Amino acid sequence: MTKEHRDGTSAAGQLPHELSDRLKRPFTLFFQVHAAGGGVLLLCSLVALGLANSPWAHAYAAFWETPVGVHAGALVFARSLHAWINDAAMTLFFFLVALALKKELVLGDLRNPRMAALPIAAAIGGMLVPAGLFLAVMSGRPGSQGWGTVMTTDTAFVIGCLALLGTRVPRSLSMFMLSLAIVDDIGAMLVVALGYSDAIDWRALAWAVAGLVLLRAAAWAGIRGFPVYFLLGSFIWVAVDASGVHATATGVVLGLMTPARRWVTDDRLYAILDRVVAHPTALEHGGDTRDRETLQIAEIAARETLSPVERLEMALHPWVSFVILPLFALSNAGMTLGEGQSAGTLTLAVVLGAVVGKPVGVLAFAWLAMRSGVALRAPGLARRHMLGGSLLAGIGFTMALFIANLAFDHTQLYEAKLGILLASLGAAVTGLAVLWWPSRHSVP
């Protein structure tokens, strides 16, 4: 049976539609998992706040400081459970973000340079303007080093907010916000790597580079087994961690190096499957028969019709959304309210940066990019959608907490966390209101 018979039409007539379906389904799944993950993330954040202000607050804080690691003679490789989540588990989060960006650049809407320019320009503005506003408010005050806190956008919460609106918002807005958030997360990772890393150990960094060279050589040699790359990636992570550069940068580099092209084309897969159907004999006798060899080839071909980027993204996305990010929220979102602590200038700077600076930066840079002809706005993406989306971009929660833990000492962290919570809440309410209101008052 040929491909044409199975599809009912010629392959040439169906190619554009098949490509569209191939890209649409993973995006829909990605969006749905992110939306559900946003709900779980919110629940875990509320649980963390509740525990931090309960009679079990001391036990809650002590649990995350439990040391975990390996002790072998003089060799000690250990850190607290909280640090493992922030340094190791979050590496997988950044790896997933980089995979999503790589897929969009190679297979998705960002293949079109002018379409890609709009969310990229908006993300750059959404990082620079809030950081500048934060520094203006904090000028000459302790805590100004935390400018990176207001540059971030929480992908899970933003997609969760859009999911609440359902069909009231176009798919083009979802794609715009997802692309913006991904670029934003990559930018935030660069900020962490360059602005919040320790003194660099160049020898350890050289080992990390050597590991990357080996990884690239393995890919060039055609090695396709994930265990090999997992071992090399683990070695690179350890070397980067020892170098003083924040270890989560490893996730971004490895994600961007992951191949986005498939090894087996559809035509080759169908030809292999036709060979499977053509074999009349069964496999009752076992052994290395021709039938078994053909089935093994078909199994490999079916797997390899998806690129490594797509397979890794599908495998990791549920784990990141429903395990890693909730654990991050449980270990980082807790803060004791009251007890003489109050909001100060740092809290105000965080709120202004995220709620005011973020939408101003997103809209201003997006307008400049379109006005100059560099960027193209997607069909259906109205100005009111961009306004609502730019307000939602102020939800920095996960990444903001991540950077705050690196940037502030214990005495400043309370004000920063309070600002992050207030800013995320304010951005969510205003963004949802703007996107909801036109749909209630527009002509059908």
Side-chain angles (χ1 to χ4, degrees):
M1 185 182 294
T2 65
K3 180 182 177 183
E4 288 78 9
H5 292 153
R6 280 188 293 268
D7 293 346
T9 56
S10 69
Q14 286 297 311
L15 181 58
H17 179 67
E18 288 173 353
L19 180 59
S20 173
D21 287 345
R22 182 167 170 260
L23 296 176
K24 181 179 179 181
R25 187 172 178 273
F27 168 77
T28 303
L29 179 62
F30 189 89
F31 187 87
Q32 290 172 343
V33 173
H34 254 310
V40 175
L41 189 60
L42 176 60
L43 177 62
C44 290
S45 302
L46 294 175
V47 169
L49 281 171
L51 289 173
N53 293 275
S54 73
W56 303 285
H58 179 72
Y60 161 80
F63 173 76
W64 298 114
E65 296 306 318
T66 304
V68 178
V70 177
H71 297 261
L75 176 64
V76 178
F77 188 66
R79 60 191 74 192
S80 68
L81 185 58
H82 175 262
W84 277 116
I85 292 172
N86 284 16
D87 297 343
M90 287 298 286
T91 300
L92 291 178
F93 166 75
F94 286 109
F95 180 65
L96 181 64
V97 167
L99 289 177
L101 178 61
K102 181 71 175 284
K103 189 179 77 171
E104 287 301 318
L105 288 171
V106 177
L107 303 173
D109 290 347
L110 298 188
R111 289 177 302 165
N112 183 333
R114 293 185 68 197
M115 294 287 285
L118 187 63
I120 291 174
I124 292 172
M127 289 186 282
L128 295 180
V129 174
L133 183 56
F134 178 92
L135 288 171
V137 175
M138 293 299 296
S139 178
R141 293 183 174 87
S144 60
Q145 75 280 0
W147 48 270
T149 307
V150 297
M151 298 174 64
T152 63
T153 297
D154 191 301
T155 309
F157 272 133
V158 168
I159 298 303
C161 287
L162 293 178
L164 291 176
L165 297 168
T167 57
R168 297 180 182 89
V169 295
R171 180 180 179 272
S172 54
L173 176 62
S174 301
M175 273 303 310
F176 172 75
M177 292 306 300
L178 181 60
S179 302
L180 183 153
I182 290 171
V183 174
D184 193 294
D185 284 337
I186 297 294
M189 190 62 257
L190 291 175
V191 168
V192 169
L194 299 176
Y196 299 110
S197 294
D198 300 324
I200 305 299
D201 183 334
W202 294 103
R203 186 172 60 177
L205 197 59
W207 280 110
V209 172
L212 291 173
V213 172
L214 283 175
L215 187 141
R216 189 69 189 89
W220 178 82
I223 297 174
R224 311 196 63 80
F226 282 164
V228 173
Y229 296 101
F230 174 79
L231 291 174
L232 285 172
S234 299
F235 169 79
I236 295 167
W237 184 90
V238 172
V240 171
D241 184 55
S243 74
V245 176
H246 202 275
T248 48
T250 309
V252 175
V253 176
L254 294 180
L256 293 176
M257 288 181 66
T258 303
R261 298 293 185 185
R262 339 180 244 174
W263 188 45
V264 176
T265 64
D266 287 340
D267 289 340
R268 185 178 291 272
L269 173 64
Y270 288 130
I272 292 172
L273 292 178
D274 283 339
R275 287 177 57 196
V276 174
V277 175
H279 279 294
T281 56
L283 295 173
E284 298 102 358
H285 304 296
D288 295 327
T289 64
R290 184 182 177 190
D291 292 344
R292 185 177 295 277
E293 180 184 354
T294 302
L295 287 174
Q296 290 171 340
I297 293 173
E299 179 187 8
I300 295 172
R303 182 180 69 242
E304 295 292 345
T305 51
L306 290 176
S307 68
V309 159
E310 293 171 298
R311 284 189 285 141
L312 285 169
E313 188 181 50
M314 287 189 296
L316 288 176
H317 198 185
W319 288 98
V320 170
S321 295
F322 300 117
V323 178
I324 292 175
L325 290 182
L327 279 175
F328 177 86
L330 286 171
S331 61
N332 287 274
M335 55 182 293
T336 305
L337 302 174
E339 294 188 1
Q341 301 185 88
S342 60
T345 306
L346 178 55
T347 301
L348 176 64
V350 172
V351 173
L352 287 177
V355 178
V356 178
K358 195 74 173 181
V360 169
V362 168
L363 292 175
F365 275 60
W367 180 83
L368 287 173
M370 290 186 292
R371 184 74 173 178
S372 64
V374 172
L376 182 67
R377 190 168 62 193
L381 185 60
R383 289 184 177 87
R384 67 173 183 269
H385 296 140
M386 293 189 67
L387 173 59
S390 67
L391 290 166
L392 288 179
I395 306 174
F397 193 75
T398 303
M399 278 304 302
L401 287 174
F402 181 81
I403 294 178
N405 277 284
L406 299 173
F408 301 111
D409 58 33
H410 182 71
T411 59
Q412 299 166 336
L413 194 56
Y414 172 83
E415 282 193 55
K417 283 188 175 183
L418 182 59
I420 291 167
L421 292 175
L422 292 176
S424 297
L425 179 61
V429 170
T430 55
L432 286 172
V434 168
L435 291 172
W436 177 276
W437 187 87
S439 65
R440 294 285 302 274
H441 296 80
S442 58
V443 179

